[in-house]
Structures are given as structure tokens and as C-alpha cells.
Amino acid sequence: MSTSSRRAGRKNGGRIGGGLLDPRQLVRSLPDALRKLNPATLWRNPVMFIVEVGAFLTTGLAIANPSVFAWAIVVWLWLTVLFATLAEAVAEGRGKAQAATLRAAKRDTMARRLADPHDPARWDVVGAQELRQGDHVVVEAGEIIPGDGDVVEGIASVDESAITGESAPVIRESGGDRSAVTGGTKVLSDRIIVRITQKPGESFIDRMIALVEGADRQKTPNEIALNILLAALTIIFLIATVTMQPLAIYSKANNPGVPDTTALGADGVSGVVLVSLLVCLIPTTIGALLSAIGIAGMDRLVQRNVLAMSGRAVEAAGDVTTLLLDKTGTITLGNRQASQFVPAEGVAELDLATAAQLASLADETPEGRSIVVHAKHAYDLRERRPGELAHAEWIPFTAQTRMSGVNVDGRQVRKGAATSVMKWVRDNGGHPTAGVGHLVDGISASGGTPLVVGEVSSGTARVLGVIHLKDVVKQGMRERFDEMRRMGIRTVMITGDNPMTARAIAREAGVDDFLAEATPEDKLALIRKEQEGGRLVAMTGDGTNDAPALAQADVGVAMNTGTSAAKEAGNMVDLDSNPTKLIEIVEIGKQLLITRGALTTFSVANDIAKYFAIIPAMFAALYPGLDALNVMRLHSPQSAILSAVIFNALVIVALIPLALRGVRYRPSSAPKLLSRNLSVYGLGGIVVPFLGIKLIDLFVQFLPGMS
Amino acid sequence: MGAAAAGAVLVLSVVAVLAVVYLLLGDYLYKVYTGTRHSAAERLVYRVIGVRPDAEQPWAVYARALLAFSAVSVLVVYGLQRLQDRLVLGLGRPPVPAHVAWNTAVSFVTNTNWQAYPGETVMGHLVQMAALAVQNFVSAAVGMAVAVALVRGFARRQADTIGNFWVDLVRGTFRVLLPIAFVAALVLVAGGVVQNLASPHEVTTLTGGTQAITGGPVASQEAIKELGTNGGGFYNANSAHPLENPAGWTNWLQIVLLLAIPVALPRTFGRMVGQVRQGHAILAVMTVIALVSVLLTNVFEVAGGATVPRAAGAALEGKEVRFGVPGSATFAAATTLTSTGATDSAHDSFTPLGGMMTMLNMMLGEVAPGGAGSGLYGILVLAVITVFVAGLMVGRTPEYLGKKIGSREIKLASLYFLVTPALVLAGTAAAMGNRAGLAAMLNGGPHGLSEILYAFTSAANNNGSAFGGISAGTPWWCVALGLCMAFGRFLPIVFILALAGSLARQAPVPVSAGTLPTHRLQFVGMVAGVTVVLVALTFLPALALAPLAEGLS
């Protein structure tokens, strides 16, 4: 997978787009499509199997009793089947290109297997495929990691572009949540010892290849249910068509004066016409595109660098009613930032800002940097380099003192945790006023973090004021959550913060609920509680202690940077390790289901027009009154039937791009979505074939044998 | 008053009364089927048949009990007909021929009441009362029981059981059908319907000939015939007979009676699932379809079509003057929209398109409002199918009333939906391709075909009305239609009960903004649309060769 494929991601205001259909893809997929015509495999798709049987039947009839009309029908019936297999082949073809890239990464590598994990000097060289779970291997700079595993010793930078498409190297080290390495990735520096966790042939890359190729694709629950409904409709129309024959024979015999037509003779409706009617009635459109829709849904995830381990997970994503979102990185920008300088009584705001900036110059923590940045933006204080001030003594931030600062020209400035700085002021003979205490409490109560700035100048110690640090909610999150609410999805923020802070951020971000001071056990309990109420839960996670929750969630998205335990437990992996993507995953799941429903509706609605074409074509010669049903005024019975069959085949090709791209999805309430899709695919499904069949008839009527 | 105005008054007054029935009877049925107390009479019945009324049944046990009860019922009705010459009150009539007895037994047990015999001359009073009238009660109670069991499937959470068949059967009979039928019978007697156990007596007609007029327990049977959506008349002429349906207002009362329970059940459904608006929505679907159908039937009949009706001002052939065209057309629509099948006019003599409407009503699966119980479960299946497709279009795997419609549910719903069209079309095709089938045809052309199509539509949908025009008393017809009635009744019931079991086991999904609301006009329109489109697509080829060919020429 190249980085270019990732560009397809979000566009047009961030709604789900999708890969476009390249006409060359159709040609490239043709051999595969022809292979799929094999009845031994096609029977799995009952609708198209019936069409193929019909095509065989009419071919025999056309050979026995050739006519232009019969052969034209035969050709178009075969094309109908071919278009269906083509749709599936095209959908699969897009995965094949990605699989090829992955295969390149899965070259046969050699591994240095350690006899004793604690003795990196003794190793023997074996093929990567011979490695078993629990083996230890040593990998050095420039070497390919031979299999999935955890780093047990050392630290290294690793190039994971082969699987993530991201060229910047990542750090992998023993212990903690960044210990997982993936087979096929390359160590760029240092040396690590890796304990292999995969079984032979079941590496992450192997699974990725299988997934993008759709090799072990299984029908998802909803797909199975839809297939049952389509099979039932097929059976009904099969019965309706077959049982028509004795009625037609009787009717013909009752009108002895009426001459035989192409469609109706003494033996009833001709076989070719009967098959044409059946093929037009059974839901071929959705039957042809159903599996392509499923494959394309998975593919849309892959394009966003998300690997779904099963189609079931993608479907579940559409049903999700509760989203658990980690605060840090998903809702907020990761670090707290200075948002305000609040001076103590009798202190000028600018003085506080200057002191705060001065005290933070040597503080390289993100909080410290944000104070400097805020001072510059809000007070236009130029950022000074520590070297600019001569004889300055810099006091760096430590976990023990919990403050940083500077001693310069006899003046001491400190900034840090409220208790530490106040104590420092008191120790130097100052008396922090009650007003400062109120400021500190107020900021805490609002969910922010107060940092106090103090100074000792000319022997007097005093508090200058308080810096308000706060979590900065990412832009657009509130709108996103409002959208979710309209879609019926509840968002729950997960954070390690105390409840007061959590509540403030939850309110600012607009999430529906929050879980404060969350432990992995709390998360698991929350998921269980939601599920007991019948809700479906989606979450992201990366640490080993997230694994139980990831496994319990209906949609568990593991970050690729996470541990192998997390990746094993979830049913999706985000190669970009971007927790915000959960929202997109839900949208893709919904889009997949909508596309199925829309095309089913379209397919069934199409039948109305086809009846108006075929019934008068069959029987108007017998009962001229039935010509009133020929509302499209089609040229002749033959042209009417042929036009209906051609329309039926062409509509499949016309809808392949829609099946691959998915129907347009905008988050909104269920009734609104339904109204929109009903008017487009329901009403459209009724009207379009009337126009299409008429249009085709205008051309077809010039063929020989059409009158 | 012109025909149009008369029709409007009739329809509007029926609708107004039914609105009250919906609320009152619907609430009453809710109490009947959810109550926990048993009356003394009921306890006695339970002790006699040996069931524990408080033991609930899983769906398979429920279904087994229902099938066993029905099988025994068929045997009893068959036996009484075959032995009527040796039993009391036989009026000295010979045993009913085997094939007719089988057909009649199945017909009454399945709530069809197709009559392959002329009632007043073949059946003695014992058969009428102990066999046919009893089945009129219990077959309706069975239908209601199945509907209630399905509703329990929607209402319950993670339950293994769907109720107790015997309790549902007994309560439906004792608390609903018997009391209402008793009152209705008295009213009908007041209206001039006969009620006696007399032997036929001879009268001299105006022209001087003699005629044997059979009396009997007519009013009691008439009441349950309509209330239980049965339709089997005491007399061959059914509700067109002056001793069954003497006046315009008894005709009106019969229309209300046959619609009462099917119309009330959606209210019971709404109460049981805890959202009355869901019941309103289902009733709205039924009403929309029914009103359109009644309107079209009336229009086709009032406008006439052929030369003679036009000359006469309306299509009055085959209709009773005391009911007029609207009274007859509305009755015809009501009796075929429900699974009643009683007739106060000859559907065969309707205009081709008017006759087609009565067929279409049945082909819809009799869901607007349908039979006692069968109407509700039929439309709920259609709602499930609608939800399945519509639910996908809102981006969720489909759910109805919080229950997921997965592959098992859609499989059962599809099977349910497949049965009757398959029976109707296969039966019609078999008759047309078979010498024994064709031999019974009295008419040719598209009209002859309509008569065959009507017969199978009526049997498979358990309606029981007839176009006529075929000698349906022959062994081939008796057996073929008997099979259609039996399969058309019990296969769907088994699928419904399995569906109920499957739904009851589920834990409901909570409602959110992403849930497809199933109480709005949007959904009502969709269910009505799906019903009409699916049925039209299934039956159009057959209809094109029969009533459409006749009507459009």
C-alpha cells in the first residue's frame, strides 16, 4: 500500500469518499470475471445462478430454433451473468494490487534464532518460516524483522512503511506499550531481541494479504439474511413464471383464431421469452452487486489504513450505539496548554506574563513550551533563548521540586505546582494571600490545572499570579459529536483525570458522558454495562491492559503502535494509529448497509416497469385490451422484451461504481436518511427503467427481426 | 340517495363504529390475553383436558399443541359428517361423501369455510351445531392465539416461552367469541334471522309450486360466522339468503362484525408491546389498503363496464336489491379483505375489474385487516420484511420494536410469505394442466380462468368465498382445495410461532435517533407500498390472463 492510496481518505468536508472506478480495471478484471462464470462456484449466488441456468437454456433453444431475437436474448443473458461476476472481480481486483505490495514485504527472510534468550552471542540462521511461537531472534540495523513479536531487549528505530505506508521511522523498545514489532518491517538502527508471538503462516502480513484479497471472505450476518430474502424473491418469481405456462396454453387454445407470435404459440409462451421474463423479475441488480458491495466496504477501510479482521466487524460498526473515546489524542490535543495568566492583587498582568515566560524558558515539557507560546501570542513577548541572559542560573523542572525557574540579577522567579511554589514563597518569608488560594481553587474547579508563579525580589517573596493550563479540545469535535447524537450514537469520554476536570472537558467537547479516573477494569465494566442494555460498543485502545476491553467491545480498534496483545484482541487495526478514525469507521459501516438496502429497493422497484414492457408483449396479440399496459409504446413485442433484458444487464454495469463507492452518506436522523434514500432509490427505481427501456427500444427497433 | 352517496354513508358509518371497536375491544383483548386469573369454567376445562394453565410453552410445544388440537378437530368434524345418519338431529340425511367430508372438515378447522356442498340440503343439525359451529369458534380462537403469541415474541425479552396455547384458545373462545356472538345472535334474531331446530317445511309459492324451506340454528351460526371471520353460511346462498341476512341494516351489522376482531387486534398489539402508537401505525396500514380497495370495488361496480350494467344504471346482476350496489360491493370487499368469505352477492357476476379486486384483496394475504388473528400476524410479517429493507437504508442492521431482524427471522418471514402465492399459483396451474381440473370448468375464456384462480386464491388464503362456475364437489377439486387450505393455514402458523420464539429469545435494542421509527406515516406508507408491490409483482401474469384480459377488452 503506497502513501498515495491514503490520499483518498477524507475530502469534501470530511465525508466518506471512495476510490473511483477506472475503466481499465474492468478490462483487467475480465479474465477473473470469466473464471467466476463456473457454475460450481456461481451457485453460491442463487440469483445469478438462476440467470446462468436460464442463459444455458436459451442457448440450447436458440441453437434448436435460431432467430435474431433469440440470439440477441442469449447474448444479453450471458452478458448479465458476466457483468455480475465482473462487478465482484473488479471489487476484488482493487485489493489484489495492495496484496502485491504486501507480498513484496514478505520476502523470505533469514532469522538469527537464539539458543538462549539471554545470550545474544549464540545463534543459528534459520528461514523465517521455520520460526515458532516463543523463539527468540536478534535483529540488527539494516535487517528485516523475520516475524511478529515483542521486543524483549533493546530499543531500535524501525521502518514500518511496508505495512503502514508511513515513511517516518518509529521507536520500538522492550517493555511498555511500544514493544510490538511486525514481521516484514526493517530495523534502521540499534539491535533488539524479539520474542516471536505468531504461528508460522499466520503473521500480520499474511492476514493483511488474505484480508485485502478477500481470500477468506465470509458472508456477514446481514449479507446472509439479505441473501435469504433475495432467494425467496427469486423463488416467488420462479413460481409466478413457471405456473403462467399452463394458463397461457389454456388461453391460447381458447382463442383459436389468433395466429402464433414469437412470444406465444400453441405450446404456450416460448422458452426464450419465459426465461427473459424470469431474469427481468428476479432481483438481479442487487444479486449481482451484493458481494462487490461487501468487498468494497472492506476496501474503503483499507484505503483509510484500517484493517478489519472480519466483515462482521464492519457491519457491527454501522450498528454501534456507544462510542468510547480516549480523551487524550482523540478529543483533546494531547497536552495541556496555557490559556490564561491570572495576576494576584496588585500585580500587573504584563509583569506576570513576563515572569511566567522567564520561568518557563528552561522548561522543555509541553506545558512549559505552551506558556512561552501563550506569552508570545497574547502579550507579544518575544521568545528569548536561555543564552541571551548573561549570568542567569536556570532551574530546570524536576519531579521532586515540581517547579522550574531562573535566578538572574538577584531576582528569583519560579513557576510550578501550586503547593510547591506557595511553599517556596513561604519558605522565603512571603505570605501568599487568600485571593491566590481562591484563584487556584477556581481554576481547579473549572477543570483546568493551576500553575503558580512566584518571585523573590529584593528580599521580598510574593506570588505574582496563576497560569491557567487547560486541555484544548480539538477543533470541530463538538460538531462531530452533535452529528453522532443525531445519528443516535452516544459518545463517552474515557480519561484518567479526576471527575471535576473530566466533567469540564466533557462539557466543552460536547460528549454525552464521561468515565473519569478510568482503569482498564472500569472500561471493561462500562462496556459490559452498555452491552447488557442491548447497545453495541466501539472503542480504540493500544495498551496490553486495553486488551480485555478491546475483545469485549463489538468494534475494537487497536492502534498499530500498540502491543501485540491489543492487536490480537481487537477486530480492527488502525495502521495510522489515529483514534479519531473510529468515527469514520462507524460511517463506513453505515454506508455499507445503506448501499445494500438502497440497491435492493432499486432492484425490486425496477420490476414494475419490466412488467409493463413484457406482459403486453406476451399477451396483447391474444387479448388486444392488454395493449393498454404498453404505456411506453414500445415498438414491437420482440423489441420490448429485448429492451427489458438489455436494460436489466446494463443497469448492473451502471451501478458498479456506486456499489464500489457506496451511496452518499451524510450523518442525519433515521427518518431523514430514509426519506432521502427512498426518494432516490425507491422512486428512482420505479421511474428510471421506464425511461431506460424506452430509450433502448428506440435503438433496438432497428435490428432485424424486431417486427 | 344516489349509489355514491349511499356507499359513502355505509363506509363512513362502518369506519366510525370500528374506530370505537378498535379502542374498546382492543383494550379488552389485551386484558384477556395478559390476565393471570382463570374463571371457574375455564379451570374446569383445564382440569378436564389435563393442562396446567400457568405453565408456559416454548414455541415448538405451543405449535405441537395447536397442530394436535387441529388434527383432532379435523377427525371429529369428518367423523360427524360420515356418521350423521346414525346420530341424532340428522334430519334423516345420508352420510356426506368422503371427499366432501374431508374438504369440509379441513375447511372449517382452518377457518376457511369453503363449502363444497349446499349447506341446507346436505348437513343435518348436529353437524351444523356440534361440528361446524364449534369450529367456527375455536378456529377463530386459534388464529387469535397465534397472533397473540407472535406479539408476545415482540414484547418479551430473553424469554424461552410464548404463552400457553390451551389458555389462549380457551380464553379467546370463552371470554371473547362466545359473549359477543351471543349478543350479536340476539340482535340478528330481532332483525329477522331464523333460529330453531325445525325440520324443513313445505310452502306453496306464488306460482303454485312447492318449496321446502329449511329452518335451523341460523342466527347463532350467523353471528360467529362473521365475528370469527369464518364465512360458512347455513344456507348455500350465504348472506344473500333472506333468512341469514334479511335487511340493509343486518347487512351493515354483519360487515361491522366481520371486521371487529381484526381491527381491534392492532390495538392489543400496541398495548402488549407497550407503545400504542405502534398499533395505530399497523391499523393505519390496514385502513389505507382497505379504503382504497373498497373505493375501487365500488367504483368498478357503480360505473359498471359492460353494456347491460350500463343500460341498467349499475352492475346489479347477482346482487340483492335490498343491499344495492354499494352494500354488495362493500360487503364483498370486506369479506375478502378479511378471511371471512361470507357473501351477500355473487362475486362471479361482478364486473371483471370489480371481481379482480376481490381476488386482489385475498392475494394481499388478507392483511387489511385480515382474519381473526391471521390478519395481524400477516401484516406483522410484512412489517418485518419492510423493516429489513428500510432498516438497511438508515445504516443499521434492521430491527423492529427493538428486535433484530437477522437471518433466522428473515428466513421465517420469507417462508411465511412464500407459502400462499406458491399454493395459489401451483394449484391454478395444476388445475389448468389436468383433465380432472379442467373438466369441472363451466365457463371458458378468461372468465373461466378467473373462476379457477379465485378458487385457489380463496382456499390457500383461508377465505372460503367462491366465484363459482366450477363443479368444486368432485374428488379432484375437494382434495386439491383441501390440501391448499391445510397447507395455507398451518405452514404459515408454524413459521409464525417459530418467529415468535426467535424474537422472544432476543434482548431488545434500545431506541435511539438512529433507529428507524415504525410509528410514522413514512413507515405506514412503506408497509402498504411493499405489500401492494410484492403482491402485484407475484400475481400480475396470472391476473393479466384472467380478470385483466376480460376487463380491459
Side-chain angles (χ1 to χ4, degrees), chain B residues 50 67 71 137 187 216 224 286 308 323 362 367 423 448 471 494 536:
Chain B
L67 293 178
F137 282 95
V187 176
I224 188 61
M286 292 173 163
V308 177
F323 308 138
M362 293 186 280
V367 291
L423 288 172
S471 315
V494 170

PDB file of all heavy atoms in Angstrom, chain B residues 50 67 71 137 187 216 224 286 308 323 362 367 423 448 471 494 536:
ATOM      1  N   GLY B  50     -56.698 -31.684  31.120  1.00  0.00           N
ATOM      2  CA  GLY B  50     -55.444 -32.055  31.777  1.00  0.00           C
ATOM      3  C   GLY B  50     -54.261 -31.163  31.456  1.00  0.00           C
ATOM      4  O   GLY B  50     -53.185 -31.655  31.141  1.00  0.00           O
ATOM      5  N   LEU B  67     -51.214 -27.946  16.534  1.00  0.00           N
ATOM      6  CA  LEU B  67     -51.384 -28.889  15.429  1.00  0.00           C
ATOM      7  C   LEU B  67     -52.167 -30.111  15.894  1.00  0.00           C
ATOM      8  O   LEU B  67     -53.031 -30.625  15.169  1.00  0.00           O
ATOM      9  CB  LEU B  67     -50.023 -29.293  14.864  1.00  0.00           C
ATOM     10  CG  LEU B  67     -49.256 -28.163  14.161  1.00  0.00           C
ATOM     11  CD1 LEU B  67     -47.903 -28.655  13.680  1.00  0.00           C
ATOM     12  CD2 LEU B  67     -50.055 -27.626  12.975  1.00  0.00           C
ATOM     13  N   ALA B  71     -55.641 -31.328  14.356  1.00  0.00           N
ATOM     14  CA  ALA B  71     -55.770 -32.656  13.746  1.00  0.00           C
ATOM     15  C   ALA B  71     -56.968 -33.389  14.346  1.00  0.00           C
ATOM     16  O   ALA B  71     -57.770 -33.998  13.623  1.00  0.00           O
ATOM     17  CB  ALA B  71     -54.485 -33.461  13.969  1.00  0.00           C
ATOM     18  N   PHE B 137     -66.046 -21.266  16.221  1.00  0.00           N
ATOM     19  CA  PHE B 137     -65.488 -20.606  17.407  1.00  0.00           C
ATOM     20  C   PHE B 137     -64.000 -20.903  17.564  1.00  0.00           C
ATOM     21  O   PHE B 137     -63.171 -20.002  17.632  1.00  0.00           O
ATOM     22  CB  PHE B 137     -66.248 -21.062  18.670  1.00  0.00           C
ATOM     23  CG  PHE B 137     -67.574 -20.378  18.842  1.00  0.00           C
ATOM     24  CD1 PHE B 137     -68.739 -20.969  18.386  1.00  0.00           C
ATOM     25  CD2 PHE B 137     -67.644 -19.138  19.434  1.00  0.00           C
ATOM     26  CE1 PHE B 137     -69.963 -20.333  18.528  1.00  0.00           C
ATOM     27  CE2 PHE B 137     -68.863 -18.489  19.586  1.00  0.00           C
ATOM     28  CZ  PHE B 137     -70.028 -19.091  19.130  1.00  0.00           C
ATOM     29  N   VAL B 187     -79.398  -9.956  18.481  1.00  0.00           N
ATOM     30  CA  VAL B 187     -79.704  -8.794  17.637  1.00  0.00           C
ATOM     31  C   VAL B 187     -80.165  -9.258  16.260  1.00  0.00           C
ATOM     32  O   VAL B 187     -81.124  -8.726  15.691  1.00  0.00           O
ATOM     33  CB  VAL B 187     -78.488  -7.862  17.524  1.00  0.00           C
ATOM     34  CG1 VAL B 187     -78.767  -6.718  16.567  1.00  0.00           C
ATOM     35  CG2 VAL B 187     -78.086  -7.336  18.894  1.00  0.00           C
ATOM     36  N   GLY B 216     -83.478 -23.654  11.127  1.00  0.00           N
ATOM     37  CA  GLY B 216     -82.356 -24.233  11.872  1.00  0.00           C
ATOM     38  C   GLY B 216     -81.723 -23.196  12.758  1.00  0.00           C
ATOM     39  O   GLY B 216     -82.210 -22.057  12.855  1.00  0.00           O
ATOM     40  N   ILE B 224     -71.376 -15.950  14.726  1.00  0.00           N
ATOM     41  CA  ILE B 224     -69.968 -16.359  14.810  1.00  0.00           C
ATOM     42  C   ILE B 224     -69.351 -16.474  13.418  1.00  0.00           C
ATOM     43  O   ILE B 224     -68.153 -16.311  13.234  1.00  0.00           O
ATOM     44  CB  ILE B 224     -69.821 -17.678  15.611  1.00  0.00           C
ATOM     45  CG1 ILE B 224     -68.340 -17.986  15.872  1.00  0.00           C
ATOM     46  CG2 ILE B 224     -70.478 -18.841  14.901  1.00  0.00           C
ATOM     47  CD1 ILE B 224     -67.621 -16.942  16.685  1.00  0.00           C
ATOM     48  N   MET B 286     -53.514  -1.043   7.509  1.00  0.00           N
ATOM     49  CA  MET B 286     -54.708  -1.816   7.141  1.00  0.00           C
ATOM     50  C   MET B 286     -55.774  -0.895   6.549  1.00  0.00           C
ATOM     51  O   MET B 286     -56.395  -1.217   5.527  1.00  0.00           O
ATOM     52  CB  MET B 286     -55.287  -2.490   8.391  1.00  0.00           C
ATOM     53  CG  MET B 286     -54.407  -3.579   8.965  1.00  0.00           C
ATOM     54  SD  MET B 286     -55.097  -4.151  10.552  1.00  0.00           S
ATOM     55  CE  MET B 286     -54.228  -5.708  10.760  1.00  0.00           C
ATOM     56  N   VAL B 308     -74.894  -4.278 -20.564  1.00  0.00           N
ATOM     57  CA  VAL B 308     -76.112  -4.465 -19.770  1.00  0.00           C
ATOM     58  C   VAL B 308     -76.093  -3.628 -18.482  1.00  0.00           C
ATOM     59  O   VAL B 308     -77.043  -2.901 -18.214  1.00  0.00           O
ATOM     60  CB  VAL B 308     -76.340  -5.960 -19.478  1.00  0.00           C
ATOM     61  CG1 VAL B 308     -77.567  -6.140 -18.595  1.00  0.00           C
ATOM     62  CG2 VAL B 308     -76.495  -6.732 -20.779  1.00  0.00           C
ATOM     63  N   PHE B 323     -79.758  -4.741  -0.709  1.00  0.00           N
ATOM     64  CA  PHE B 323     -78.458  -4.187  -0.296  1.00  0.00           C
ATOM     65  C   PHE B 323     -77.974  -3.116  -1.276  1.00  0.00           C
ATOM     66  O   PHE B 323     -77.183  -2.256  -0.911  1.00  0.00           O
ATOM     67  CB  PHE B 323     -77.389  -5.276  -0.195  1.00  0.00           C
ATOM     68  CG  PHE B 323     -77.810  -6.450   0.672  1.00  0.00           C
ATOM     69  CD1 PHE B 323     -77.531  -7.743   0.285  1.00  0.00           C
ATOM     70  CD2 PHE B 323     -78.487  -6.235   1.872  1.00  0.00           C
ATOM     71  CE1 PHE B 323     -77.917  -8.814   1.077  1.00  0.00           C
ATOM     72  CE2 PHE B 323     -78.876  -7.309   2.659  1.00  0.00           C
ATOM     73  CZ  PHE B 323     -78.594  -8.600   2.263  1.00  0.00           C
ATOM     74  N   MET B 362     -57.638 -10.838  -1.441  1.00  0.00           N
ATOM     75  CA  MET B 362     -57.171 -12.087  -0.840  1.00  0.00           C
ATOM     76  C   MET B 362     -55.695 -12.298  -1.120  1.00  0.00           C
ATOM     77  O   MET B 362     -54.940 -12.763  -0.279  1.00  0.00           O
ATOM     78  CB  MET B 362     -57.975 -13.261  -1.384  1.00  0.00           C
ATOM     79  CG  MET B 362     -59.432 -13.235  -0.960  1.00  0.00           C
ATOM     80  SD  MET B 362     -60.305 -14.703  -1.470  1.00  0.00           S
ATOM     81  CE  MET B 362     -60.660 -14.345  -3.180  1.00  0.00           C
ATOM     82  N   VAL B 367     -54.586  -9.067   4.788  1.00  0.00           N
ATOM     83  CA  VAL B 367     -53.937  -8.370   5.895  1.00  0.00           C
ATOM     84  C   VAL B 367     -54.593  -7.022   6.167  1.00  0.00           C
ATOM     85  O   VAL B 367     -54.125  -6.280   7.001  1.00  0.00           O
ATOM     86  CB  VAL B 367     -52.448  -8.138   5.591  1.00  0.00           C
ATOM     87  CG1 VAL B 367     -51.708  -9.447   5.608  1.00  0.00           C
ATOM     88  CG2 VAL B 367     -52.247  -7.403   4.291  1.00  0.00           C
ATOM     89  N   LEU B 423     -48.991 -21.796  -3.280  1.00  0.00           N
ATOM     90  CA  LEU B 423     -50.159 -22.669  -3.329  1.00  0.00           C
ATOM     91  C   LEU B 423     -51.164 -22.183  -4.372  1.00  0.00           C
ATOM     92  O   LEU B 423     -51.699 -22.965  -5.153  1.00  0.00           O
ATOM     93  CB  LEU B 423     -50.836 -22.727  -1.958  1.00  0.00           C
ATOM     94  CG  LEU B 423     -50.099 -23.504  -0.864  1.00  0.00           C
ATOM     95  CD1 LEU B 423     -50.788 -23.312   0.469  1.00  0.00           C
ATOM     96  CD2 LEU B 423     -50.041 -24.978  -1.214  1.00  0.00           C
ATOM     97  N   GLY B 448     -63.507 -18.053 -17.239  1.00  0.00           N
ATOM     98  CA  GLY B 448     -63.348 -19.398 -16.680  1.00  0.00           C
ATOM     99  C   GLY B 448     -62.059 -19.496 -15.881  1.00  0.00           C
ATOM    100  O   GLY B 448     -62.013 -20.079 -14.792  1.00  0.00           O
ATOM    101  N   SER B 471     -67.525 -27.023 -10.808  1.00  0.00           N
ATOM    102  CA  SER B 471     -68.138 -28.081 -10.008  1.00  0.00           C
ATOM    103  C   SER B 471     -67.109 -28.528  -8.987  1.00  0.00           C
ATOM    104  O   SER B 471     -66.374 -29.482  -9.183  1.00  0.00           O
ATOM    105  CB  SER B 471     -68.531 -29.272 -10.888  1.00  0.00           C
ATOM    106  OG  SER B 471     -69.165 -28.810 -12.053  1.00  0.00           O
ATOM    107  N   VAL B 494     -46.943 -22.344  11.672  1.00  0.00           N
ATOM    108  CA  VAL B 494     -45.704 -22.877  12.253  1.00  0.00           C
ATOM    109  C   VAL B 494     -44.572 -21.860  12.093  1.00  0.00           C
ATOM    110  O   VAL B 494     -43.800 -21.615  13.028  1.00  0.00           O
ATOM    111  CB  VAL B 494     -45.346 -24.228  11.598  1.00  0.00           C
ATOM    112  CG1 VAL B 494     -43.947 -24.663  12.021  1.00  0.00           C
ATOM    113  CG2 VAL B 494     -46.361 -25.286  11.988  1.00  0.00           C
ATOM    114  N   ALA B 536     -48.581  -7.461  -6.313  1.00  0.00           N
ATOM    115  CA  ALA B 536     -48.815  -7.170  -7.729  1.00  0.00           C
ATOM    116  C   ALA B 536     -47.786  -7.892  -8.594  1.00  0.00           C
ATOM    117  O   ALA B 536     -48.127  -8.506  -9.607  1.00  0.00           O
ATOM    118  CB  ALA B 536     -48.752  -5.665  -7.967  1.00  0.00           C
TER     119      ALA B 536
END
